[in-house]
Amino acid sequence: MRFGLAFILLFLSFLSAWGQEKDLITWNSIQKADSLQLNGDSRFLLVDVFTDWCGPCKLMDKNTFHNEKVAQFINENFIPVKLNAESKLNISFKGKEYKWVNYGRSGLQSLAYVILGGNLIYPSIAFVDNKGQTITIINGYFQAEEFLKIIQDLKIELEKYQVKEQ
């Protein structure tokens, strides 16, 4: 009986793992990304601000971020970060502490509010420099090819911004 139960549990865990797609993008926590920038990584942060209930956010994960060309471009040119806008964890970023606040139906991570400039649209992709300043934001769902073109063009503009700032 124990062997049968163990076999069933093992089989179910195998099916569960088999059904999960592996991320092609090397997502970082905001703290890890901050550390990378502090240690000389000059890439902008690409911050995917999402919520667990957001359908278009899930579609971005499934369709756009699982595209090999999109993932490769993001991994090579940005420091990718996932930020749950409703996370209740305290977050330290650029020497400041950000907390969850009771806001709306389920609350809000104050760093998401700051990064998005108070414009709480999901999904939002924010591009943040090494000083913690949001340079630009892309709102909404995009198919992979369209998103890739947008971030390729944006990368050129961000490079111009970096040169101006130096």
Side-chain angles (χ1 to χ4, degrees):
M1 180 73 170
R2 284 186 186 176
F3 176 74
L5 182 60
F7 177 76
I8 290 171
L9 290 174
L10 182 64
F11 181 72
L12 290 175
S13 67
F14 170 75
L15 283 179
S16 175
W18 183 56
Q20 294 175 352
E21 293 184 58
K22 182 181 183 315
D23 280 334
L24 299 177
I25 297 175
T26 308
W27 296 106
N28 297 280
S29 68
I30 194 81
Q31 294 94 332
K32 170 82 187 282
D34 188 21
S35 176
L36 289 169
Q37 284 184 329
L38 286 171
N39 288 311
D41 193 326
S42 62
R43 295 177 295 166
F44 281 81
L45 304 184
L46 178 150
V47 184
D48 175 23
V49 184
F50 70 97
T51 65
D52 291 333
W53 51 262
C54 170
C57 299
K58 293 174 185 178
L59 287 174
M60 283 288 285
D61 282 339
K62 180 181 177 187
N63 300 330
T64 308
F65 295 141
H66 274 92
N67 177 282
E68 288 185 23
K69 289 179 183 176
V70 169
Q72 181 179 0
F73 189 81
I74 289 173
N75 286 330
E76 290 175 1
N77 294 283
F78 300 101
I79 302 172
V81 172
K82 282 264 192 207
L83 179 62
N84 186 338
E86 296 177 341
S87 172
K88 292 184 178 182
L89 299 175
N90 291 341
I91 297 174
S92 180
F93 180 66
K94 303 296 180 195
K96 295 180 182 173
E97 197 68 29
Y98 296 90
K99 299 178 185 227
W100 178 85
V101 293
N102 190 7
Y103 178 86
R105 292 185 321 206
S106 55
L108 175 69
Q109 170 46 249
S110 59
L111 179 58
Y113 187 88
V114 169
I115 285 177
L116 296 179
N119 193 14
L120 304 174
I121 298 172
Y122 310 112
S124 288
I125 311 298
F127 296 84
V128 179
D129 69 10
N130 62 356
K131 296 174 189 145
Q133 299 297 309
T134 301
I135 305 307
T136 193
I137 300 169
I138 302 170
N139 296 315
Y141 171 78
F142 294 92
Q143 293 285 344
E145 290 178 12
E146 182 183 14
F147 186 72
L148 180 59
K149 175 74 171 112
I150 290 169
I151 63 174
Q152 286 171 333
D153 292 345
L154 187 57
K155 171 74 170 126
I156 294 166
E157 295 303 313
L158 291 172
E159 287 173 349
K160 291 177 187 175
Y161 169 84
Q162 254 178 341
V163 170
K164 269 189 353 187
E165 287 295 306
Q166 292 175 352

